[in-house]
Amino acid sequence: MLSAGPSLSQEAPSDQDLKVTGQRMPAAEAPRSSTCEVLARDPFLRASGMASRAYLPTRPTRSPDYSAPPQIPEGSPLPELSRTRFAVQSGADDNAPDTFGPSALDGTAAADGAAASLDQNSLASAIAACRNGYIRGGGDIGDGSTGYISANSGASENGVAALAAEARVAAANGRYVQARAFIASRDQTLPMGFALFDQGRYREALGWFRKAAGKLQMREGGDEAALFVGKITLQGLGAQSDPVEGVKWLKKAATAPFNPQNETPMFDPRQPDRNTAVGEAAVILGNVYLNGFGPVARDPQEARKWFDRASDVGHVPGAKKLGDLYAEGIGIPRDMARAVTWYTRAAKLNHPNAQTALADILWTGEEGVAQDRKAALGWYQAAARNGNAAALYALGRAYDLGEGVKPDAELAMGFYKTAALGGSAPAKAAMGTYFYEGKLLAKDDATARKWFEAAAAGNDPDGMFNLAAMLAKGEGGDKDVDKALALLRRAALQGHPNAPLAIAALERQKR
């Protein structure tokens, strides 16, 4: 007899491939100094100097369907560009102060009416320092590591004669940096390349990106230019694409200079695929070599090298991907201990899928990895805080079955519901079971059937089996034995233990 019993199988967490997604960059991209400026508005961070060690903003990746016709026909007039780079100012604010000092923006007044903030706490000065530190072609923020003297400082002009030769060189270097910043801030080649790319005019965009790559240094936007020359050449020109040449350009972008002190990208666990030009180029190279691409041969060792580079330049999913390679034995012997090392690295940086993958291993234990359910629950909870549906389902299952925790049916149902709404197919099957059995919730076969349909649509074998059971008996809707058999066959292919016997039973009924 078929029954819509509770879901007892545990689904392995789904992985997010590090392939470039189809998201498009917004019309305005945040300047490199934006995070530093936001943090500088916090008085404590400003006073401690922590704001100047801010993380670099990231952006969604541009990865359109290159085979689609352009939105604007090729050969049309060039699009109009904003007066400012990416619709934001690129260099330091001409009106911002160049040295630290009291500012009217500091709201606290001393007894004599003057600003009470110390010089280094000046908001305006701190923001100016952020902008100067991230100026196109500039160096680190405020630590003197560049060896440059600001070209508009007294030391670089009025006092040059009194300085040693090394100081004169530093002053000249400072003027060079500001000159490069001037050139970059007025560059139109890179914005034009992006504008044409967004219109689907890839051949025309390629020319502008090549100009930008020849004009701009890496930290001035040359990294983005090299990345997009590589992306378009790799696959954006149809039959005229040249993957070998594309890989050369991607390597230029992926090996651009990187300073972890002020170029480590921000990481948002709810938008894990956001990236920088350097990180995106490394991820694309990893995927190219992992699978092979046209004349570029598959090379798992080279793929690991580029995923490692992505991780090194701060792209947290790069570490997660390396964990996947070791866990699945892709191109290398399976090594769960090394997988755990990489998953832990990403998990500590708040990557939800890495936290869930690590928890799955610790929950059962693997060769070379001891079982530790207490640690596993901690990682599931960390991932659940970021809305990870697989982690929420795992927590629901733990409280449902009393594994590693005290059983709590209501808490389990809450986790299942949140996971189901977040897209977890096994959690949807669990919700269907609640409505089918009438425990904690009023029995409602129609609603149960809808949840099982949703689970089956998500390829969950328990959802398929339970939906087939209801279809075979006409529970919650019309009876449909043929559809029930089709679902049972799909469930059997996925290893559902009861599906083969159920198929035999239904086939006997049809005779």
Side-chain angles (χ1 to χ4, degrees), residues 435-507:
F435 282 103
Y436 184 83
E437 294 181 342
K439 296 179 180 178
L440 298 181
L441 296 172
K443 182 173 173 60
D444 186 333
D445 285 352
T447 300
R449 184 160 160 167
K450 288 179 181 178
W451 278 114
F452 289 142
E453 287 172 348
N459 229 24
D460 178 72
D462 286 305
M464 297 175 195
F465 184 90
N466 292 340
L467 177 59
M470 298 191 77
L471 285 166
K473 294 184 286 187
E475 295 177 317
D478 295 337
K479 183 175 180 177
D480 191 332
V481 175
D482 290 334
K483 188 174 181 180
L485 276 170
L487 284 165
L488 288 170
R489 292 187 182 107
R490 285 176 58 196
L493 289 174
Q494 294 202 32
H496 195 288
N498 298 329
L501 291 176
I503 293 171
L506 275 186
E507 287 179 339

